[in-house]
Amino acid sequence: NDPILLDITRWDEIDKYKQVEQIKYKMLILGACMTGKSAILKQLRQIYGRRFDESEFLAAKAHLTQNTIEAMRTLAIYSDILSDQGKQTAVHPDLREIRDKV
């Protein structure tokens, strides 16, 4: 067990590790609005990268709230359009006033 030989082997392993760490991938994600492009990147980061900190969770909370409101607004608009076309929208009578306000 020659100490110099062990040291050289260790440096070879470190060099290989550095080479692997330097490999970068670029990815182009295309898609229409609201199809989950950012969600894929966030999932990849959570699985393979560093975890999210509290400020990122708080920023995401506002974004998710806005997306939920927009989705509800879109559903209400299309429900109203279908109702105007004489189609059954299955909106509970108590909720029609809320739908009309949106």
Side-chain angles (χ1 to χ4, degrees), residues 26-45:
K26 291 185 179 182
M27 182 175 9
L28 175 63
I29 300 177
L30 300 173
C33 182
M34 304 296 292
T35 57
K37 298 177 297 292
S38 295
I40 289 172
L41 294 176
K42 289 175 185 172
Q43 287 175 358
L44 287 172
R45 178 176 161 204

Side-chain angles (χ1 to χ4, degrees), residues 76-94:
I77 289 169
Y78 280 102
S79 173
D80 199 31
I81 290 171
L82 290 172
S83 178
D84 290 344
Q85 294 174 357
K87 297 182 181 175
Q88 182 65 20
T89 60
V91 176
H92 192 277
D94 296 343

Side-chain angles (χ1 to χ4, degrees), residues 41-77:
L41 294 176
K42 289 175 185 172
Q43 287 175 358
L44 287 172
R45 178 176 161 204
Q46 188 169 11
I47 292 169
Y48 299 108
R50 67 178 179 82
R51 299 287 182 206
F52 297 101
D53 60 20
E54 187 174 348
S55 66
E56 290 170 312
F57 277 119
L58 293 175
K61 181 180 177 184
H63 185 70
L64 290 172
T65 302
Q66 184 62 35
N67 284 348
T68 302
I69 292 169
E70 288 298 319
M72 291 172 60
R73 183 175 287 135
T74 300
L75 288 172
I77 289 169

